[in-house]
Structures are given as structure tokens and as C-alpha cells.
């Protein structure tokens, strides 16, 4: 595990955008199509806005998934996939067949069936990169402190019916899916998240700080601004 800190949220967002782009270039140079799990959240969306179509990265040939989604109608402003489309996917011309969005409300599936259907669509090989935000309570994706989904080991995606953060109905990948990745990067900014960052990098547990359970196969990287890192002790 490594921790990298930037002076403020704007510099952090630009650094994240460059790191994501560099990873796409590296995987494509190996002759493979990159697979990336996107996250929502303020710092991630700001990073997406800085991703440029100019350069060696071919964003039309990247498979994009999501770590969680609000179970609201397709195109709703609350959906992580719609926010990503608005921030960079449409601008970069990513084709629909490369955008693996989670089922939406109105899809005629129960939430449990929708979660299972999404799990079935995930690749069998490890993701190249999983991006995760973290809430002030230490949650990642829609895995919240004290919730039973934290202990799911069989299903790769689950329904969440009572999220403490609105909207209450969500679908989330579980640790078996999120950690089935070469790289897991946690993107965190702001003073309000400093206590959770300190717990995650200190004595926190999965129960009180779910971010503790995020682990990549090759690397786990915390990308922070100074405000989010302010609670870390040397």
C-alpha cells in the first residue's frame, strides 16, 4: 500500500486524470483493452473533467464498469454513469458497447436480480484498475459501516435497500469484485474525510471503516489532498 498526497483538490484531480490516462496507455501498449471500474464523487468527477482526448490513450477501446450505482431511472442526474457521461465519456466519444452501466430502475428486474445480472456481466480476468471514492464515514462504493454486505463472499454484486446516504436503493460491487483488480486507487479529498482516512490507514476495521477492505492484487494506492491526509500520523 502506498499513500501519495497533493497540495489541494485541484492539483489532486489533475494528477488523478493523468494517472488514469497513463494506465490506459500502458495497458493498450501491451495489446490489451483496459478494464476500469469508475467511481462517483466530487474528486473523481473533477478528475474525469481533466481527462483529455488528445494523446496516445484510445478511450474508444476501454471497457468501463462501475463500483456502485443509485437504483434510479436511466439518465437520472443522480446516476454515476450519467455523471461520468457528462464529465468525459460523451466528450471522448466512448461508444455505448464499452460502457457497462449497472441496471436502472424500470428495468423490470428486482434489485437482487439486477445485481446478479450485473455480476454476470463482469469480466473473469482481473480489472486493470478500480477507482474508489470514500465517504466521511469510511464507506466505499455502497458498502457502508456495519452493513451485512461487508461480509458477502459469494456474490460479486448486491442490492442495498437502506443506504444511509440518499437515494436509499443502490447496487454495489462487493469486496470479491472490487479487489479482483491489479490496481485499486482510493481518491479522497477534503478535511471532512481526514478522520476516516486516518482510521483506514491506522487501526480502523472493515466494520467501522469499509475502505480498510479495499486491496488490489498488485497495488493499493491512496491519492489524497493535504486536507484529507491531515489526520495521518507519521
Amino acid at each position: 500500500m502506498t499513500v501519495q498526497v497533493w497540495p489541494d483538490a485541484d492539483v489532486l484531480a489533475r494528477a488523478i486524470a493523468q494517472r488514469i490516462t497513463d494506465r490506459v496507455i500502458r495497458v493498450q501498449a501491451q495489446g490489451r483493452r483496459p478494464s476500469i471500474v469508475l467511481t462517483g464523487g466530487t474528486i473523481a468527477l473533477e478528475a474525469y473533467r481533466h481527462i483529455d482526448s488528445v494523446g496516445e490513450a484510445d478511450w474508444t477501446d476501454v471497457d468501463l464498469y462501475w463500483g456502485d450505482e443509485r437504483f434510479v431511472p436511466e439518465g437520472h442526474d443522480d446516476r454515476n454513469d450519467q455523471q461520468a457521461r457528462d464529465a468525459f465519456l460523451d466528450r471522448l466519444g466512448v461508444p455505448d458497447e464499452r460502457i457497462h452501466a449497472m441496471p436502472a430502475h424500470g428495468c423490470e428486474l428486482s434489485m437482487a436480480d439486477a445485481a446478479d445480472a450485473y455480476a454476470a456481466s463482469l469480466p473473469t480476468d482481473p480489472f486493470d484498475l478500480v477507482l474508489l471514492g470514500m465517504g466521511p464515514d469510511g464507506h466505499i462504493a455502497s458498502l457502508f459501516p456495519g452493513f451485512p454486505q461487508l461480509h458477502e463472499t459469494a456474490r460479486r454484486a448486491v442490492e442495498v435497500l437502506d443506504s444511509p446516504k440518499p437515494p436509499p436503493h443502490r447496487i454495489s460491487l462487493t469486496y470479491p469484485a472490487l479487489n479482483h483488480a491489479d490496481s485499486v486507487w482510493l481518491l479522497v479529498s477534503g478535511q471532512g474525510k481526514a478522520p476516516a482516512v486516518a482510521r483506514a490507514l491506522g487501526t480502523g476495521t472493515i466494520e467501522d471503516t469499509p475502505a480498510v477492505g479495499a486491496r488490489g492484487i498488485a497495488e493499493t494506492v491512496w491519492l489524497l489532498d493535504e486536507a484529507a491526509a491531515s489526520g495521518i500520523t507519521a
Side-chain angles (χ1 to χ4, degrees):
M1 181 186 298
T2 60
V3 178
Q4 300 182 13
V5 181
W6 280 266
D8 57 42
D10 181 65
V11 178
L12 172 61
R14 294 175 185 275
I16 292 168
Q18 187 61 58
R19 287 179 64 104
I20 295 171
T21 302
D22 290 346
R23 181 56 55 93
V24 168
I25 292 170
R26 189 174 92 183
V27 174
Q28 290 177 338
Q30 297 169 359
R32 296 191 295 110
R33 176 183 296 145
S35 58
I36 299 177
V37 175
L38 299 178
T39 183
T42 302
I43 193 66
L45 289 175
E46 191 58 32
Y48 299 157
R49 294 185 184 103
H50 288 300
I51 293 176
D52 201 333
S53 61
V54 178
E56 298 176 39
D58 179 4
W59 281 96
T60 68
D61 195 35
V62 179
D63 277 320
L64 298 165
Y65 300 85
W66 273 264
D68 75 324
E69 188 57 271
R70 291 81 177 259
F71 199 65
V72 294
E74 184 177 349
H76 194 289
D77 288 344
D78 281 346
R79 282 186 63 90
N80 289 328
D81 65 337
Q82 185 59 49
Q83 292 174 9
R85 284 180 182 274
D86 293 342
F88 81 121
L89 301 183
D90 289 347
R91 173 168 54 84
L92 270 57
V94 180
D96 286 343
E97 60 265 27
R98 302 273 72 87
I99 300 174
H100 305 279
M102 287 187 172
H105 182 271
C107 67
E108 299 184 355
L109 292 174
S110 70
M111 287 190 63
D113 287 344
D116 289 341
Y118 196 68
S121 75
L122 300 177
T124 55
D125 291 335
F127 296 113
D128 291 295
L129 174 62
V130 168
L131 303 174
L132 293 170
M134 186 190 71
D137 61 354
H139 82 267
I140 54 171
S142 285
L143 303 177
F144 294 97
F147 273 48
Q149 290 89 349
L150 296 173
H151 305 288
E152 179 61 57
T153 59
R155 299 174 68 198
R156 295 200 292 167
V158 290
E159 65 279 10
V160 179
L161 302 176
D162 51 355
S163 164
K165 182 180 179 182
H169 292 175
R170 296 161 176 247
I171 294 173
S172 180
L173 299 191
T174 58
Y175 290 125
L178 294 172
N179 291 345
H180 190 55
D182 289 336
S183 299
V184 172
W185 298 351
L186 293 105
L187 324 176
V188 191
S189 66
Q191 184 71 42
K193 298 182 181 180
V197 170
R199 289 198 310 274
L201 295 175
T203 60
T205 67
I206 286 175
E207 279 292 324
D208 63 41
T209 312
V212 168
R215 291 286 187 276
I217 297 168
E219 66 171 3
T220 307
V221 184
W222 286 76
L223 305 174
L224 311 172
D225 65 5
E226 288 184 357
S230 61
I232 302 173
T233 56

